[in-house]
Amino acid sequence: MQPEKTSGWDFSYLTNTGRMMESPLPWNYYMQICQRLRPGCTLLDLGTGGGEFLSLLPDKDLLHIHATEGYAPNVAVAAARLRTFNGTLISTYTDEELPFPDNYFDLITDRHESYDIDEIYRILKPGGYFITQQVDGKSDLSIADVIQAKPNTEYLDFNLSYVLDELNSSPFHILLQMEDAGFMRFYDTEALLFYIRSMPYIFENYEEFDFNHITQLLNSYFQTNPYLDVRKDRFIVVAQK
């Protein structure tokens, strides 16, 4: 039986057993970051989740690491993990007002998190990098059809073109832009429930979910289908101030 999903963004429980699989990307987010790390580098990770990704970076003791996380169930997890490599977590903030001085960071990373481009520009050092990997706003919505829920359509227009327009409105130099039409594949009810509990914001009425009913719907689906593919279009942009 799966554990209740309450915090962090660690899906290894599913991926290690092959119960959830993602189509491969034509770029490597981790390597894009590592190529730009230097001893003494000041790094900010926006929306760090449980700090899982930061914990994978090499030579963390030579870096000055900061992170933000606003989702309450993740905060304690992230704070504990960041303490193991002297990182600092900020949990009270807004995208438009981050508690850092001007020209402070060498590198700002953002995987699937919101941001304010003017604030990114303000706190990034001249010559510093902003690396963001995002999910197209049309992704994940097909899950709602299967479980008879209302999808959150707030971000339907969020895509690579939208981000490039934002960056071009500020004096950033774009070094890399790529997008990929991908998918996530789920093989059983519990795997998909685990994912749904991790991503409540993709639904309009998550707080009203009847998980007993949803479980019945998914059991019925997987009785006649070996897997469920969910659209997962992603893109990456690397920009320099």
Side-chain angles (χ1 to χ4, degrees):
M1 190 69 175
Q2 71 172 30
E4 183 76 11
K5 180 65 175 173
T6 58
S7 61
W9 304 116
D10 184 1
F11 296 104
S12 59
Y13 170 76
L14 302 179
T15 56
N16 288 349
T17 57
R19 297 169 66 191
M20 181 184 86
M21 301 179 67
E22 296 187 58
S23 57
L25 295 169
W27 64 83
N28 187 293
Y29 177 74
Y30 175 83
M31 291 307 302
Q32 289 294 329
I33 293 170
C34 289
Q35 290 166 9
R36 294 170 173 86
L37 292 177
R38 301 290 184 271
C41 174
T42 52
L43 182 153
L44 173 64
D45 187 40
L46 297 174
T48 197
E52 298 91 349
F53 182 81
L54 287 176
S55 69
L56 301 176
L57 295 177
D59 301 321
K60 292 183 291 299
D61 56 324
L62 302 179
L63 308 175
H64 302 289
I65 296 177
H66 301 259
T68 65
E69 179 55 44
Y71 183 50
N74 288 346
V75 170
V77 177
R81 185 169 278 122
L82 264 67
R83 281 196 296 269
T84 65
F85 45 86
N86 296 317
T88 301
L89 181 71
I90 303 297
S91 59
T92 303
Y93 63 96
T94 65
D95 291 346
E96 297 77 18
E97 191 172 349
L98 296 171
F100 303 107
D102 296 354
N103 306 316
Y104 187 74
F105 290 102
D106 297 291
L107 177 62
I108 299 175
T109 60
D110 178 326
R111 186 169 62 168
H112 310 167
E113 178 66 10
S114 62
Y115 61 87
D116 180 87
I117 195 61
D118 293 330
E119 189 69 345
I120 296 296
Y121 190 84
R122 180 186 70 80
I123 64 177
L124 197 60
K125 291 180 181 179
Y129 300 96
F130 177 46
I131 301 176
T132 182
Q133 178 176 298
Q134 296 286 349
V135 178
D136 186 290
K138 295 182 175 64
S139 297
D140 287 319
L141 299 187
S142 59
I143 296 176
D145 293 335
V146 177
I147 64 173
Q148 300 177 5
K150 294 180 180 179
N152 180 2
T153 58
E154 180 180 358
Y155 304 107
L156 280 179
D157 296 328
F158 184 74
N159 52 33
L160 177 60
S161 295
Y162 181 96
V163 170
L164 292 177
D165 286 345
E166 276 196 327
L167 288 166
N168 286 328
S169 70
S170 301
F172 276 101
H173 177 53
I174 296 172
L175 304 179
L176 174 70
Q177 53 174 296
M178 295 183 71
E179 58 185 338
D180 180 71
F183 64 90
M184 298 184 70
R185 179 167 292 180
F186 298 89
Y187 289 93
D188 63 81
T189 294
E190 289 184 357
L192 189 49
L193 285 174
F194 191 89
Y195 185 76
I196 289 170
R197 290 190 176 106
S198 305
M199 314 289 277
Y201 53 83
I202 68 177
F203 307 100
E204 184 178 304
N205 58 337
Y206 178 83
E207 67 281 355
E208 301 171 8
F209 276 14
D210 178 348
F211 275 99
N212 288 329
H213 179 60
I214 289 172
T215 298
Q216 292 173 2
L217 291 173
L218 293 180
N219 284 340
S220 177
Y221 177 89
F222 284 110
Q223 284 173 1
T224 55
N225 298 274
Y227 57 81
L228 174 67
D229 280 349
V230 176
R231 175 178 175 176
K232 200 74 173 183
D233 296 357
R234 280 159 287 187
F235 58 90
I236 188 171
V237 178
V238 180
Q240 186 174 27
K241 179 176 177 179

